[in-house]
Amino acid sequence: MPLLRFDLYEGRTDAELEALLDASHRAMVEAFKVPERDRYQIVNEHKPSRFVMQDTGLDIPRTEKFVMIQVTTRPRTVDEKKEFYRLTVEMLEKNCGIAPADVMINFVTCNDEDWSFGFGRPQFLTGEL
């Protein structure tokens, strides 16, 4: 159950946001082999003065299309993460016109006891998931 959080500059249309979320979801489903309806996404839009994302000295060009994706998830293998990185930038470029240089991704890993999907129960621990 990855939770994807998107931070980006304000100004995209609803259609652009839908394309971005759909492309990212397809990458996640393919990389992590999760069910299609395992979809949890949050978009945060920021004014340029409140969103500073540079390149850590790597000389990576950033534009107004920049998107930061934070993935909160159960433990994933290194290969799964690499595949997610690759698929995400590939699909965002193809479907949204977002250059790979404008995509930054990081992972936050949680254990099974760190999730409750509702009813105050930890479904990974109760066997419901």
Side-chain angles (χ1 to χ4, degrees):
M1 183 255 129
L3 166 64
L4 276 61
R5 292 180 174 271
F6 300 83
D7 287 281
L8 41 97
Y9 295 109
E10 64 184 6
R12 286 181 168 92
T13 66
D14 286 344
E16 289 172 320
L17 289 172
E18 182 178 358
L20 186 148
L21 296 177
D22 287 349
S24 299
H25 182 67
R26 282 193 304 280
M28 189 214 33
V29 167
E30 190 171 325
F32 300 150
K33 309 296 187 243
V34 298
E36 186 67 33
R37 287 188 44 88
D38 195 350
R39 188 169 182 168
Y40 300 88
Q41 299 173 314
I42 300 170
V43 174
N44 295 297
E45 296 181 275
H46 305 277
K47 295 177 189 255
S49 64
R50 289 168 175 77
F51 189 51
V52 178
M53 301 300 285
Q54 296 179 342
D55 65 3
T56 316
L58 297 171
D59 199 28
I60 300 171
R62 306 282 195 214
T63 73
E64 72 285 345
K65 288 189 171 190
F66 178 83
V67 60
M68 170 66 204
I69 304 171
Q70 184 177 65
V71 182
T72 303
T73 184
R74 303 167 82 187
R76 302 287 171 182
T77 67
V78 171
D79 287 340
E80 286 175 319
K81 291 176 183 180
K82 287 179 177 179
E83 183 69 354
F84 179 75
Y85 297 145
R86 184 188 69 76
L87 288 170
T88 300
V89 298
E90 183 180 288
M91 290 182 183
L92 290 180
E93 184 171 38
K94 178 182 176 186
N95 298 304
C96 307
I98 299 172
D102 270 330
V103 181
M104 183 175 168
I105 303 170
N106 92 301
F107 279 80
V108 176
T109 303
C110 297
N111 296 311
D112 288 351
E113 68 269 16
D114 299 319
W115 297 97
S116 173
F117 297 89
F119 301 110
R121 295 191 304 266
Q123 285 84 358
F124 286 131
L125 299 180
T126 63
E128 295 169 81
L129 285 174

